[in-house]
Amino acid sequence: MTDRPDRPAPTPPRQQPQPSGRRPWLLHGVRSVAGQVFALQALIALLLIAAAAAALVLQARYDSEREARHRSLAAAEAFAHAPGLVDALNAPDPTAVLQARTEAARRASGVDFIAVMTPDGIRHTDSDLALIGQRATGDIARAAAGESFTEIFEGEPSDAVRAVVPVRDDGGRIVGLVGTGIEIQNVSDVVEGQLPLLLGAAAGALVLATVGAALVSRRLRRQTHGLGPAEMTRMKEHHEAVLHAVREGVLIVGSDGRLLLANDEARRLLDLPADAEQLPVDGLGLDPHTTELLASGREATDEVYLAGERLLAVNVRPTKPYAGHPSGLVMTLRDSTELAALAGRAELARGRLDLLYDAGVRIGTTLDVVRTAEELSEVAVPRFADFVTVELLDPVLRGEEPSGADTEMRRTALSGIRTDQPLQPVGDIIRFVVPSTPMAAALDTGHAVLEADLTTATGWHVQDPEGAEQALEYGFHSLVAVPLQARGVVLGMANFWRADSPEPFGEEDVAFAEELAARAAVSIDNARRFTREHTMAVTLQRSLLPRVLPEQNAVEVAHRYLPAKAGVGGDWFDVIPLPGARVALVVGDVVGHGLHAAATMGRLRTAVHNFSTLDLPPDELLAHLDELIARIDQNEAGDGDGSREAIAGATLLYAIYDPTSGRCTMASAGHPGPALVHEDGRVVFPEVPPCLPLGVGGMPFESVELRLPEESRLVLFTDGLLEDRDRDFDTGLGLLRESLARPGRSPEQICADVLAALLFPAPSDDIALLVAGPRLLPGDRIAQWDVPAEPAAVSRVRNAAAEQLEAWDLDAIAYTTELILSELVTNAIRYGGEPIRVRLLRDSALICEISDSSSTAPHLRYAASTDEGGRGLFLVAQLAERWGTRYTERGKVIWAELPLTDGVGALAGPVADLDALEDLAW
């Protein structure tokens, strides 16, 4: 078999062609259609013949067994009804009488055994003498009950087809049993004797079926040329593709010069008639050169011929001869004119797709409105336009919603192939006041507007005659103006200009410009929305953070807060003055970013302020705050709308510094501990007991107490200062240690140096930094006395306090101070417990503290007219600027603050007797 031009290269077994009529059919194998059909027919014939033979064997066996049953039953019935059998059974020795008779009957009937038995199965006679006198095996109860039956018996002495018949006397009584049978082996021998005939018939049928299948396969092989199913399917697919799908004309001409096949593309290119097949090539109406080429039979490669208005590239190749048939010709035709145009369009389309891909990658890399506009202008130059300008509305630049007025925009980006262009620079206001300008028309219609020839653009000239003239002199000749709109809102305008490129913009360029602008508009709108959200979050957070730190003398404080570049977080700090000249330093961090984190931070800061008024130790304050957050999370989770995020996970470091002792007590809820910088520059990180973040619950909080030297610096911070995507916490901690290890700097200088050393250009998390320089209250501003629990001690305390106030030059408030001390000391003596101590602190205010060992707290109330006491605390509240109670480990402290001048609290009228006022105590 020879190779054909329209088939794939033949497989190796077919490389040596030979006449198909002399090739043995087995050489084709089952890979060909003919071989597979032959194998299938042979297999079906074999299965049918095997099934028929098996059925015949089974039928023969069945018939043999049925015949054996009938013969056995007939012999048994005949012998059971034989005359004299009943008398013989009743004889003294039935065996002697019946044995000879049974053997004669067995030989006459052709069965293998006849046994005469008693009703209970004891043999009187049997073909095997050794069995006489033995009980017969098997189920003979049915015969003993009067039923004749046959069965397939399996057991001793041999397997057999057995019949058992009862023997009755004249009265119908069963006096014996007769059993006859044919052994199974003898039945099988009958069937096996028939097997040669059955197998011979089956073999003959198989031979006939195989010969028929071979004849059919041979005929099919000739029709299919020995091809396999996959090859025939592939040939069919190739045939259909060549006829209908290939964009290249194909003509096949036979050896007799007639057209055998023409595909759709060839019919279109040559305008062939519908009945072109089987026509001679000179009757197809082709041009003379093409007709001569087909008639000559010579080979041709990419020769150009004219067919109407088409210029065709023609290739001709002869087909290989097959089975003695002469070869023909195959001609292929290509429309070179269309191919050239198509190649140009394809190259342009590929360039535009590449540009759109680059735009998708390069535009919107940041969430910055201005930078996104610049990316749009940069990506379009020079592959699409020579110059690009982008104007945006001012509200868009600020991250606000566009106002709807779009006749005035601000130039935001400008890119070009040269820098000496005459266009208005970035930052200028661009107005579209003439409706006939391309820009105004584009904004009015919402679609791109093409101005292919700027020399005829009257509206553009009218709006700015001088600028238009300069642009034309520079070389600008074509423009596409596209509105930047996203989600139905106009954000700005993009203008694409051509100056150096000689080709003007066309309609295809308009569609591309709209696609490019649409992608950029979405990125600009995303950046605008981010700017708005970021501005809102920053505004909210800055409104929730302390704008001005409160006045206090306990520490010198400097602070820094930096929001994250990607979004505002929940880091915060605070400085809270406490009674007794103390101060609370707070740094916290809420998990997450955005408005929720900022709002949560504000809630936490408010809660900390509220709990700090109770003057609780740090660990107790964190416990109350943890319980509050857990309750808030539980209540908000119960809303069921899924719109609120939990607060759990917030961290907090709370420290209380007392300037009278220089001690600082602090506790942490999952927050990093502070850094302590000593006067010599040594940096340590005090160990704060690690506890769970707020809202997690289940574990108590622990506090630690430190002594802060006066020239030291306590640095509190959030983890955003230390770690980022490219730096872990431990590395950041080492950098912080290095930046702090320089003595002699103020807190403000430390803040600046730390940020300069650790701050990332674009931090991924916000940063809170608080540096405190502790101060000690001088000893000469502290006065304290131990008070015995006796009323007479009140006057002594008043006198000592008056002397101290005189030494402090506070005579103006001496009377008010003595009155407050008198009331508080009297009540401590009456209702408190020893030891009782009085302490005066001169700070920005005069602080009076009376401590005792009782935990009973006083309450401000109105005394009834009949009450003997209860007015003292009310009097203290009127005279003092602030007052309150705080609890200690061994009791409580009642304190009152007075200004250092007499602007508050002087009693009207004549001076009262302080000794008499002692009875007003509660």
Side-chain angles (χ1 to χ4, degrees), residues 514-767:
E514 283 190 330
E515 176 68 20
L516 188 61
R519 296 192 179 196
V522 172
S523 297
I524 290 174
D525 190 53
N526 290 338
R528 177 191 66 82
R529 290 170 179 263
F530 171 78
T531 302
R532 180 188 62 187
E533 298 294 333
H534 185 73
T535 302
M536 291 173 59
V538 170
T539 302
L540 173 62
Q541 188 172 43
R542 291 196 181 280
S543 67
L544 297 175
L545 288 172
R547 297 185 179 182
V548 179
L549 295 181
E551 294 185 2
Q552 46 80 34
N553 296 325
V555 291
E556 178 187 0
V557 178
H559 61 86
R560 293 289 189 278
Y561 172 77
L562 282 83
K565 185 68 174 178
V568 172
D571 291 13
W572 61 286
F573 66 91
D574 212 340
V575 177
I576 306 173
L578 298 177
R582 297 169 304 142
V583 65
L585 305 174
V586 190
V587 171
D589 185 3
V590 176
V591 176
H593 294 86
L595 291 175
H596 175 76
T600 302
M601 178 272 292
R603 298 168 72 182
L604 280 179
R605 181 168 178 251
T606 302
V608 170
H609 268 271
N610 290 335
F611 285 130
S612 67
T613 59
L614 301 177
D615 209 353
L616 299 172
D619 54 343
E620 294 185 20
L621 184 141
L622 292 182
H624 284 286
L625 193 60
D626 180 68
E627 181 181 358
L628 173 65
I629 290 176
R631 187 165 62 250
I632 291 175
D633 284 346
Q634 182 178 3
N635 294 338
E636 293 187 350
D639 292 346
D641 58 358
S643 59
R644 292 187 174 94
E645 300 179 30
I647 304 176
T651 63
L652 185 70
L653 178 65
Y654 187 85
I656 298 178
Y657 174 68
D658 187 352
T660 63
S661 62
R663 295 191 175 276
C664 179
T665 305
M666 65 184 67
S668 170
H671 198 86
L676 179 60
V677 184
H678 288 271
E679 184 178 3
D680 57 359
R682 182 168 50 92
V683 180
V684 296
F685 294 95
E687 292 188 4
V688 180
C691 299
L692 295 176
L694 297 174
V696 177
M699 297 295 290
F701 294 93
E702 299 181 55
S703 59
V704 64
E705 186 177 277
L706 307 173
R707 180 172 180 82
L708 304 182
E710 189 170 9
E711 296 300 325
S712 63
R713 299 290 183 261
L714 187 66
V715 182
L716 290 76
F717 52 87
T718 57
D719 57 1
L721 177 68
L722 303 183
E723 59 184 353
D724 202 88
R725 289 184 295 266
D726 301 324
R727 186 173 67 199
D728 58 24
F729 185 86
D730 293 336
T731 303
L733 205 63
L735 293 175
L736 178 62
R737 182 191 298 272
E738 293 178 3
S739 63
L740 293 176
R742 295 205 332 253
R745 290 178 295 173
S746 66
E748 188 68 29
Q749 292 172 329
I750 291 177
C751 281
D753 294 344
V754 168
L755 291 184
L758 279 82
L759 185 62
F760 283 90
S764 59
D765 196 4
D766 47 350
I767 296 171

Side-chain angles (χ1 to χ4, degrees), residues 121 148 178 199 222 266 360 368 372 437 465 468 540 550 601 773 782 877:
S148 299
V178 176
L199 295 178
R222 290 178 179 178
D368 182 83
T372 305
T437 61
L540 173 62
M601 178 272 292
I782 303 174

